[in-house]
Amino acid sequence: MRVLIAAAGSRGDVAPYTGLGAALRRAGYDVALATTDTFAPLVRDAGLEFRRLPADPRARGGVTGGRHLMRSAAAFVTELGQGFADAMADGTDLLLLSATTAPLGWHLAEATGTPSLGVYLQPTAPTGDFPPVVTGSRSLGRPVNRMAGRFALRMVDRLYEQAVVELRHRLGLPPASASATRRRQEQADWPVLHGFSTALVPRPSDWRSGLKVTGTWWPHLDAAERLPADLEDFLRAGPRPVFIGFGSMAAGDGERLSEIAVRALRRAGLRGILQAGSAGLAADCDDVLTIGDVPHALLFPRLAAVVHHAGAGTSAAALRAGVPAVTVPVTADQPFWARRLAAVGAAADPIPFRSLTAERLADALGDVVKQQAYARAAATAARHMAAEDGTGQALKAVRQLTGS
Protein backbone atom coordinates (compact mmCIF):
# COMPACT_ATOMS: atom_id res chain seq x y z
CA MET A 1 0.00 0.00 0.00
CA ARG A 2 1.30 3.42 -1.02
CA VAL A 3 1.09 6.05 1.71
CA LEU A 4 1.73 9.72 0.96
CA ILE A 5 2.44 12.09 3.85
CA ALA A 6 2.09 15.75 2.87
CA ALA A 7 3.67 18.42 5.08
CA ALA A 8 4.97 21.95 4.55
CA GLY A 9 6.47 24.75 6.62
CA SER A 10 9.66 25.01 8.64
CA ARG A 11 11.99 22.15 9.58
CA GLY A 12 9.98 21.58 12.75
CA ASP A 13 6.82 21.24 10.65
CA VAL A 14 8.38 18.48 8.54
CA ALA A 15 11.00 16.54 10.54
CA PRO A 16 8.53 14.63 12.80
CA TYR A 17 6.99 13.04 9.70
CA THR A 18 10.32 11.44 8.80
CA GLY A 19 10.07 9.36 11.98
CA LEU A 20 6.40 8.59 11.38
CA GLY A 21 7.11 7.65 7.77
CA ALA A 22 10.05 5.44 8.73
CA ALA A 23 7.83 3.57 11.22
CA LEU A 24 5.20 2.99 8.52
CA ARG A 25 7.89 1.80 6.12
CA ARG A 26 9.18 -0.70 8.68
CA ALA A 27 5.60 -1.97 9.00
CA GLY A 28 5.57 -2.77 5.29
CA TYR A 29 4.04 0.32 3.71
CA ASP A 30 5.49 2.08 0.67
CA VAL A 31 5.89 5.62 2.06
CA ALA A 32 6.51 8.93 0.31
CA LEU A 33 6.78 12.32 1.99
CA ALA A 34 5.73 15.32 -0.06
CA THR A 35 7.35 18.55 1.10
CA THR A 36 9.50 21.39 -0.17
CA ASP A 37 12.95 20.96 -1.74
CA THR A 38 14.76 22.19 1.38
CA PHE A 39 13.89 19.00 3.24
CA ALA A 40 14.59 16.45 0.51
CA PRO A 41 17.75 15.23 2.33
CA LEU A 42 15.78 14.65 5.56
CA VAL A 43 13.22 12.61 3.67
CA ARG A 44 15.73 10.48 1.79
CA ASP A 45 17.91 9.93 4.87
CA ALA A 46 14.86 8.35 6.51
CA GLY A 47 14.54 5.91 3.61
CA LEU A 48 11.41 7.56 2.24
CA GLU A 49 10.51 8.61 -1.28
CA PHE A 50 10.66 12.37 -1.72
CA ARG A 51 7.90 14.12 -3.66
CA ARG A 52 8.22 17.82 -4.29
CA LEU A 53 5.87 20.56 -3.15
CA PRO A 54 6.64 23.89 -4.82
CA ALA A 55 6.44 26.56 -2.12
CA ASP A 56 9.44 27.62 -0.02
CA PRO A 57 8.50 29.09 3.38
CA ARG A 58 12.08 30.30 3.92
CA ALA A 59 11.53 32.95 1.25
CA ARG A 60 8.84 34.49 3.44
CA GLY A 61 11.32 35.94 5.94
CA GLY A 62 11.95 35.55 9.65
CA VAL A 63 10.38 37.63 12.42
CA THR A 64 7.38 39.48 11.04
CA GLY A 65 4.31 41.33 12.20
CA GLY A 66 0.88 39.74 12.17
CA ARG A 67 -0.37 41.43 9.00
CA HIS A 68 2.75 40.61 7.01
CA LEU A 69 2.64 37.07 8.36
CA MET A 70 -0.93 36.62 7.10
CA ARG A 71 -0.05 37.95 3.62
CA SER A 72 3.01 35.71 3.46
CA ALA A 73 1.00 32.70 4.59
CA ALA A 74 -1.67 33.30 1.94
CA ALA A 75 0.97 33.56 -0.80
CA PHE A 76 2.67 30.42 0.49
CA VAL A 77 -0.59 28.45 0.51
CA THR A 78 -1.61 29.55 -2.98
CA GLU A 79 1.76 28.50 -4.37
CA LEU A 80 1.50 25.22 -2.47
CA GLY A 81 -1.92 24.44 -3.91
CA GLN A 82 -0.74 24.90 -7.48
CA GLY A 83 1.67 21.99 -7.20
CA PHE A 84 -0.07 19.74 -4.68
CA ALA A 85 -1.90 17.62 -7.26
CA ASP A 86 1.41 16.76 -8.94
CA ALA A 87 2.64 15.11 -5.74
CA MET A 88 -0.13 12.53 -6.05
CA ALA A 89 0.51 11.80 -9.69
CA ASP A 90 2.69 8.75 -8.98
CA GLY A 91 -0.12 7.02 -7.15
CA THR A 92 -1.40 7.08 -3.59
CA ASP A 93 -3.61 4.66 -1.64
CA LEU A 94 -3.72 6.67 1.59
CA LEU A 95 -3.14 10.37 2.17
CA LEU A 96 -1.80 11.60 5.54
CA LEU A 97 -2.28 15.35 5.85
CA SER A 98 -0.63 17.86 8.18
CA ALA A 99 -2.55 20.86 9.48
CA THR A 100 -0.94 22.97 6.75
CA THR A 101 -1.75 20.62 3.87
CA ALA A 102 -5.16 19.27 4.98
CA PRO A 103 -7.26 22.18 3.64
CA LEU A 104 -5.79 21.40 0.20
CA GLY A 105 -5.52 17.63 0.54
CA TRP A 106 -9.24 17.22 1.25
CA HIS A 107 -9.99 18.24 -2.33
CA LEU A 108 -7.42 15.84 -3.77
CA ALA A 109 -8.94 13.04 -1.69
CA GLU A 110 -12.39 13.98 -2.99
CA ALA A 111 -11.25 14.05 -6.62
CA THR A 112 -9.40 10.73 -6.49
CA GLY A 113 -11.45 8.81 -3.95
CA THR A 114 -8.33 8.33 -1.83
CA PRO A 115 -8.92 7.82 1.90
CA SER A 116 -7.24 10.38 4.12
CA LEU A 117 -6.22 10.91 7.73
CA GLY A 118 -5.12 14.04 9.57
CA VAL A 119 -1.69 13.96 11.22
CA TYR A 120 -1.37 17.27 13.06
CA LEU A 121 1.45 18.62 15.22
CA GLN A 122 -0.72 21.25 16.94
CA PRO A 123 -4.22 21.20 18.44
CA THR A 124 -6.38 23.18 16.00
CA ALA A 125 -9.95 22.19 16.93
CA PRO A 126 -11.82 24.71 19.12
CA THR A 127 -11.94 23.86 22.82
CA GLY A 128 -12.78 25.54 26.07
CA ASP A 129 -9.50 24.31 27.59
CA PHE A 130 -7.31 26.91 25.88
CA PRO A 131 -7.48 29.64 23.21
CA PRO A 132 -6.41 28.93 19.62
CA VAL A 133 -2.71 28.10 19.49
CA VAL A 134 -1.92 30.52 16.65
CA THR A 135 -3.19 33.65 18.38
CA GLY A 136 -0.68 33.73 21.22
CA SER A 137 -3.43 34.93 23.58
CA ARG A 138 -4.04 33.85 27.13
CA SER A 139 -7.13 31.94 28.23
CA LEU A 140 -10.22 34.11 28.62
CA GLY A 141 -12.53 31.39 29.94
CA ARG A 142 -14.11 28.37 28.29
CA PRO A 143 -16.89 30.05 26.24
CA VAL A 144 -14.54 32.72 24.89
CA ASN A 145 -11.81 30.17 24.15
CA ARG A 146 -14.23 28.12 22.05
CA MET A 147 -15.52 31.21 20.27
CA ALA A 148 -11.96 32.34 19.53
CA GLY A 149 -11.14 28.84 18.24
CA ARG A 150 -13.99 28.95 15.75
CA PHE A 151 -12.95 32.42 14.63
CA ALA A 152 -9.35 31.24 14.13
CA LEU A 153 -10.56 28.42 11.85
CA ARG A 154 -12.52 30.95 9.79
CA MET A 155 -9.35 33.00 9.39
CA VAL A 156 -7.47 29.88 8.24
CA ASP A 157 -10.23 29.18 5.71
CA ARG A 158 -9.82 32.71 4.35
CA LEU A 159 -6.10 32.05 3.84
CA TYR A 160 -6.88 28.98 1.76
CA GLU A 161 -9.87 30.36 -0.18
CA GLN A 162 -8.10 31.34 -3.41
CA ALA A 163 -5.92 28.24 -3.40
CA VAL A 164 -9.01 26.05 -2.97
CA VAL A 165 -10.83 27.76 -5.85
CA GLU A 166 -7.88 27.19 -8.18
CA LEU A 167 -7.28 23.60 -7.03
CA ARG A 168 -10.91 22.53 -7.40
CA HIS A 169 -11.01 24.05 -10.88
CA ARG A 170 -7.88 22.14 -11.86
CA LEU A 171 -9.32 18.89 -10.46
CA GLY A 172 -12.64 19.36 -12.27
CA LEU A 173 -14.61 19.54 -9.01
CA PRO A 174 -17.70 21.72 -8.52
CA PRO A 175 -17.12 24.95 -6.61
CA ALA A 176 -16.97 24.62 -2.81
CA SER A 177 -15.58 27.08 -0.32
CA ALA A 178 -12.79 26.25 2.10
CA SER A 179 -15.12 26.77 5.07
CA ALA A 180 -17.86 24.55 3.60
CA THR A 181 -15.32 21.79 3.01
CA ARG A 182 -14.06 22.04 6.59
CA ARG A 183 -17.62 21.81 7.97
CA ARG A 184 -18.26 18.75 5.82
CA GLN A 185 -15.12 17.05 7.16
CA GLU A 186 -16.08 17.81 10.76
CA GLN A 187 -19.63 16.53 10.28
CA ALA A 188 -18.22 13.32 8.81
CA ASP A 189 -16.00 12.96 11.92
CA TRP A 190 -12.88 12.99 9.74
CA PRO A 191 -10.13 11.36 11.85
CA VAL A 192 -7.18 13.45 13.03
CA LEU A 193 -4.20 12.15 14.98
CA HIS A 194 -2.20 14.69 16.99
CA GLY A 195 1.50 13.95 17.35
CA PHE A 196 2.25 15.69 20.64
CA SER A 197 2.40 14.49 24.22
CA THR A 198 -0.42 14.53 26.72
CA ALA A 199 2.27 15.62 29.19
CA LEU A 200 1.99 19.03 27.51
CA VAL A 201 -1.58 19.01 26.20
CA PRO A 202 -4.08 16.48 27.59
CA ARG A 203 -6.82 15.65 25.11
CA PRO A 204 -9.65 18.18 25.61
CA SER A 205 -12.84 16.48 26.80
CA ASP A 206 -15.00 18.69 24.54
CA TRP A 207 -13.35 17.54 21.29
CA ARG A 208 -15.36 15.43 18.86
CA SER A 209 -14.71 11.69 18.84
CA GLY A 210 -12.53 11.61 15.71
CA LEU A 211 -9.74 13.63 17.32
CA LYS A 212 -6.98 11.71 19.11
CA VAL A 213 -3.69 12.62 20.85
CA THR A 214 -1.17 9.83 20.20
CA GLY A 215 2.09 11.05 21.73
CA THR A 216 4.99 12.69 19.93
CA TRP A 217 6.33 11.61 16.52
CA TRP A 218 10.09 12.01 16.73
CA PRO A 219 12.30 12.87 13.73
CA HIS A 220 14.10 9.91 12.18
CA LEU A 221 17.51 9.29 13.72
CA ASP A 222 19.96 6.82 12.23
CA ALA A 223 21.26 4.43 14.87
CA ALA A 224 24.84 5.09 13.75
CA GLU A 225 24.62 8.89 13.97
CA ARG A 226 26.98 10.63 16.39
CA LEU A 227 27.65 14.21 17.46
CA PRO A 228 30.53 16.01 15.70
CA ALA A 229 33.95 15.52 17.31
CA ASP A 230 34.42 19.19 18.23
CA LEU A 231 31.05 19.21 19.98
CA GLU A 232 31.91 16.03 21.88
CA ASP A 233 35.21 17.59 22.97
CA PHE A 234 33.42 20.72 24.18
CA LEU A 235 30.83 18.74 26.14
CA ARG A 236 33.56 16.77 27.92
CA ALA A 237 35.73 19.81 28.66
CA GLY A 238 33.69 21.26 31.51
CA PRO A 239 30.31 21.56 33.25
CA ARG A 240 27.15 20.94 31.31
CA PRO A 241 26.58 23.86 28.92
CA VAL A 242 23.42 25.71 27.92
CA PHE A 243 22.08 25.40 24.36
CA ILE A 244 20.79 28.57 22.69
CA GLY A 245 19.06 28.37 19.31
CA PHE A 246 16.10 29.81 17.43
CA GLY A 247 15.74 27.28 14.61
CA SER A 248 14.31 28.81 11.46
CA MET A 249 13.26 31.98 13.29
CA ALA A 250 14.91 35.41 13.56
CA ALA A 251 16.65 35.55 10.18
CA GLY A 252 18.91 38.61 10.02
CA ASP A 253 19.05 39.06 13.80
CA GLY A 254 22.17 36.98 14.32
CA GLU A 255 24.58 39.67 15.45
CA ARG A 256 22.24 41.11 18.08
CA LEU A 257 21.15 37.69 19.36
CA SER A 258 24.73 36.42 19.53
CA GLU A 259 25.77 39.39 21.63
CA ILE A 260 22.79 38.90 23.96
CA ALA A 261 23.53 35.18 24.27
CA VAL A 262 27.19 35.58 25.13
CA ARG A 263 26.56 38.40 27.61
CA ALA A 264 23.80 36.37 29.29
CA LEU A 265 25.99 33.28 29.58
CA ARG A 266 28.84 35.29 31.08
CA ARG A 267 26.51 37.03 33.52
CA ALA A 268 25.05 33.67 34.61
CA GLY A 269 28.49 32.02 34.78
CA LEU A 270 27.58 29.29 32.28
CA ARG A 271 29.17 27.68 29.25
CA GLY A 272 27.13 27.76 26.07
CA ILE A 273 26.44 26.19 22.69
CA LEU A 274 24.99 28.47 20.01
CA GLN A 275 23.17 26.84 17.11
CA ALA A 276 23.59 29.07 14.06
CA GLY A 277 20.10 28.46 12.60
CA SER A 278 18.46 30.94 10.25
CA ALA A 279 19.52 33.83 12.50
CA GLY A 280 23.19 33.01 12.00
CA LEU A 281 24.20 32.92 15.66
CA ALA A 282 27.96 32.81 16.16
CA ALA A 283 30.55 33.39 18.88
CA ASP A 284 34.33 33.17 19.02
CA CYS A 285 35.37 32.44 22.61
CA ASP A 286 36.60 29.52 24.68
CA ASP A 287 33.45 28.96 26.73
CA VAL A 288 30.95 29.22 23.85
CA LEU A 289 30.82 26.87 20.85
CA THR A 290 28.93 27.54 17.61
CA ILE A 291 27.35 24.55 15.85
CA GLY A 292 25.11 23.77 12.89
CA ASP A 293 22.18 21.34 12.88
CA VAL A 294 22.66 18.32 15.15
CA PRO A 295 20.09 15.79 16.42
CA HIS A 296 18.37 17.15 19.50
CA ALA A 297 17.93 13.59 20.77
CA LEU A 298 21.72 13.19 21.04
CA LEU A 299 22.60 16.64 22.38
CA PHE A 300 19.82 17.78 24.71
CA PRO A 301 20.21 15.11 27.44
CA ARG A 302 23.77 16.36 28.01
CA LEU A 303 22.84 19.99 28.71
CA ALA A 304 22.09 22.10 31.76
CA ALA A 305 19.27 23.96 30.01
CA VAL A 306 17.88 24.78 26.57
CA VAL A 307 17.05 28.29 25.36
CA HIS A 308 14.75 28.03 22.34
CA HIS A 309 11.93 29.66 20.39
CA ALA A 310 9.31 27.16 21.65
CA GLY A 311 8.53 25.51 18.36
CA ALA A 312 6.53 22.31 18.89
CA GLY A 313 9.42 19.99 18.00
CA THR A 314 12.11 21.73 20.06
CA SER A 315 9.76 22.07 23.04
CA ALA A 316 9.06 18.33 22.93
CA ALA A 317 12.74 17.44 22.47
CA ALA A 318 13.84 19.46 25.49
CA LEU A 319 11.11 17.94 27.62
CA ARG A 320 11.93 14.41 26.42
CA ALA A 321 15.53 14.99 27.53
CA GLY A 322 14.38 15.97 31.02
CA VAL A 323 16.14 19.33 30.66
CA PRO A 324 14.65 22.66 31.83
CA ALA A 325 14.10 25.43 29.32
CA VAL A 326 14.01 29.18 28.84
CA THR A 327 11.62 29.97 26.01
CA VAL A 328 11.78 33.00 23.73
CA PRO A 329 8.69 32.63 21.51
CA VAL A 330 8.60 34.55 18.26
CA THR A 331 5.31 33.95 16.46
CA ALA A 332 2.50 31.54 15.49
CA ASP A 333 2.08 28.60 17.91
CA GLN A 334 5.29 29.29 19.84
CA PRO A 335 3.72 31.38 22.67
CA PHE A 336 1.28 28.49 23.22
CA TRP A 337 4.01 25.86 23.64
CA ALA A 338 6.08 28.25 25.77
CA ARG A 339 3.19 28.65 28.19
CA ARG A 340 2.57 24.90 28.24
CA LEU A 341 6.19 24.25 29.23
CA ALA A 342 5.93 26.85 31.99
CA ALA A 343 2.59 25.41 33.14
CA VAL A 344 4.11 21.97 33.75
CA GLY A 345 7.00 23.60 35.63
CA ALA A 346 9.71 22.63 33.12
CA ALA A 347 10.45 26.18 31.93
CA ALA A 348 10.66 29.70 33.25
CA ASP A 349 8.02 32.22 32.26
CA PRO A 350 8.38 32.97 28.53
CA ILE A 351 10.46 35.95 27.42
CA PRO A 352 8.80 37.39 24.29
CA PHE A 353 11.32 37.68 21.47
CA ARG A 354 11.04 41.45 21.19
CA SER A 355 11.59 41.80 24.94
CA LEU A 356 14.74 39.69 25.04
CA THR A 357 17.75 41.24 26.78
CA ALA A 358 20.96 39.77 28.14
CA GLU A 359 19.85 40.63 31.67
CA ARG A 360 16.45 38.90 31.36
CA LEU A 361 18.00 35.85 29.74
CA ALA A 362 20.74 35.61 32.38
CA ASP A 363 18.23 35.87 35.22
CA ALA A 364 15.99 33.18 33.70
CA LEU A 365 18.96 30.88 33.08
CA GLY A 366 20.12 31.34 36.66
CA ASP A 367 16.68 30.30 37.88
CA VAL A 368 16.21 27.16 35.75
CA VAL A 369 19.76 25.89 36.26
CA LYS A 370 19.99 26.50 40.01
CA GLN A 371 16.41 25.77 41.14
CA GLN A 372 16.01 22.01 40.99
CA ALA A 373 12.22 22.21 40.75
CA TYR A 374 12.53 22.92 37.02
CA ALA A 375 14.70 19.87 36.37
CA ARG A 376 12.41 17.67 38.49
CA ALA A 377 9.35 18.82 36.52
CA ALA A 378 11.13 18.19 33.22
CA ALA A 379 12.18 14.71 34.40
CA THR A 380 8.59 13.89 35.40
CA ALA A 381 7.32 14.94 31.98
CA ALA A 382 10.09 12.95 30.29
CA ARG A 383 8.96 9.78 32.07
CA HIS A 384 5.38 10.45 30.94
CA MET A 385 6.53 10.88 27.34
CA ALA A 386 8.63 7.72 27.46
CA ALA A 387 5.48 5.73 28.23
CA GLU A 388 3.74 7.02 25.10
CA ASP A 389 4.03 5.36 21.69
CA GLY A 390 3.06 8.04 19.18
CA THR A 391 4.16 6.17 16.05
CA GLY A 392 2.65 2.92 17.30
CA GLN A 393 -0.71 4.63 17.84
CA ALA A 394 -0.51 6.17 14.36
CA LEU A 395 0.31 2.80 12.80
CA LYS A 396 -2.69 1.26 14.57
CA ALA A 397 -4.97 4.00 13.20
CA VAL A 398 -3.63 3.51 9.66
CA ARG A 399 -4.27 -0.24 9.87
CA GLN A 400 -7.81 0.34 11.13
CA LEU A 401 -8.52 2.81 8.33
CA THR A 402 -7.11 0.67 5.54
CA GLY A 403 -7.80 -2.81 6.85
CA SER A 404 -4.19 -3.76 6.09
Side-chain angles (χ1 to χ4, degrees):
M1 175 166 284
R2 297 165 298 180
V3 176
L4 176 63
I5 306 172
S10 68
R11 184 187 181 98
D13 297 315
V14 175
Y17 298 111
T18 63
L20 178 59
L24 290 168
R25 181 176 58 81
R26 289 192 297 271
Y29 294 92
D30 182 1
V31 185
L33 176 50
T35 187
T36 49
D37 286 332
T38 306
F39 307 114
L42 289 182
V43 175
R44 295 184 176 124
D45 287 348
L48 310 178
E49 177 192 348
F50 170 72
R51 296 190 192 176
R52 181 179 182 272
L53 294 181
D56 184 359
R58 296 179 307 164
R60 309 297 173 196
V63 181
T64 58
R67 185 174 299 176
H68 178 75
L69 186 65
M70 293 290 281
R71 286 199 301 267
S72 296
F76 170 64
V77 163
T78 299
E79 188 179 355
L80 190 65
Q82 291 169 357
F84 203 162
D86 296 333
M88 288 189 67
D90 292 335
T92 301
D93 298 311
L94 175 64
L95 194 54
L96 303 188
L97 300 168
S98 72
T100 306
T101 60
L104 301 170
W106 291 332
H107 309 281
L108 290 163
E110 178 184 343
T112 61
T114 304
S116 64
L117 177 69
V119 283
Y120 291 6
L121 301 179
Q122 299 87 9
T124 63
T127 175
D129 288 5
F130 44 79
V133 300
V134 295
T135 63
S137 60
R138 294 184 179 274
S139 177
L140 296 172
R142 297 189 65 83
V144 178
N145 286 345
R146 286 192 60 82
M147 186 184 308
R150 290 191 291 269
F151 178 76
L153 289 182
R154 287 198 294 272
M155 292 300 98
V156 170
D157 292 337
R158 285 181 59 184
L159 282 178
Y160 282 84
E161 199 64 58
Q162 186 57 40
V164 165
V165 168
E166 295 178 11
L167 182 58
R168 290 187 70 87
H169 177 74
R170 173 178 175 175
L171 297 172
L173 294 172
S177 69
S179 56
T181 304
R182 182 185 297 279
R183 286 194 299 271
R184 188 165 65 238
Q185 295 296 94
E186 291 170 352
Q187 290 163 2
D189 210 23
W190 185 64
V192 181
L193 308 178
H194 295 82
F196 50 78
S197 175
T198 56
L200 276 176
V201 185
R203 183 190 183 279
S205 60
D206 57 355
W207 270 6
R208 61 178 176 84
S209 60
L211 307 178
K212 183 174 183 178
V213 180
T214 67
T216 308
W217 305 318
W218 302 107
H220 171 73
L221 178 64
D222 192 291
E225 189 155 5
R226 299 290 182 269
L227 295 175
D230 61 336
L231 178 51
E232 278 287 357
D233 291 343
F234 184 80
L235 288 167
R236 294 189 182 114
R240 288 190 173 212
V242 168
F243 171 95
I244 300 178
F246 296 92
S248 60
M249 295 289 105
D253 257 348
E255 186 174 348
R256 182 180 74 89
L257 290 173
S258 300
E259 181 183 351
I260 288 174
V262 172
R263 285 174 53 209
L265 290 167
R266 295 259 168 82
R267 184 181 175 110
L270 297 165
R271 301 196 312 144
I273 296 171
L274 305 189
Q275 185 175 55
S278 295
L281 297 185
D284 183 17
C285 46
D286 292 339
D287 55 352
V288 181
L289 178 70
T290 302
I291 63 171
D293 288 333
V294 300
H296 290 164
L298 298 182
L299 175 59
F300 282 9
R302 302 174 66 180
L303 302 172
V306 178
V307 178
H308 61 84
H309 61 296
T314 311
S315 297
L319 206 57
R320 180 196 199 185
V323 176
V326 174
T327 57
V328 187
V330 181
T331 188
D333 62 333
Q334 295 158 18
F336 172 81
W337 295 112
R339 281 199 295 273
R340 295 309 304 169
L341 286 170
V344 302
D349 288 339
I351 304 174
F353 179 80
R354 289 182 175 82
S355 302
L356 181 65
T357 64
E359 291 73 23
R360 289 191 69 177
L361 181 55
D363 290 346
L365 279 172
D367 287 343
V368 300
V369 171
K370 294 172 184 174
Q371 296 181 22
Q372 291 303 304
Y374 291 101
R376 286 195 295 269
T380 298
R383 288 192 292 271
H384 181 116
M385 297 172 87
E388 296 175 324
D389 182 11
T391 53
Q393 290 295 315
L395 177 58
K396 180 180 177 182
V398 166
R399 285 173 169 158
Q400 289 175 341
L401 183 63
T402 62
S404 62

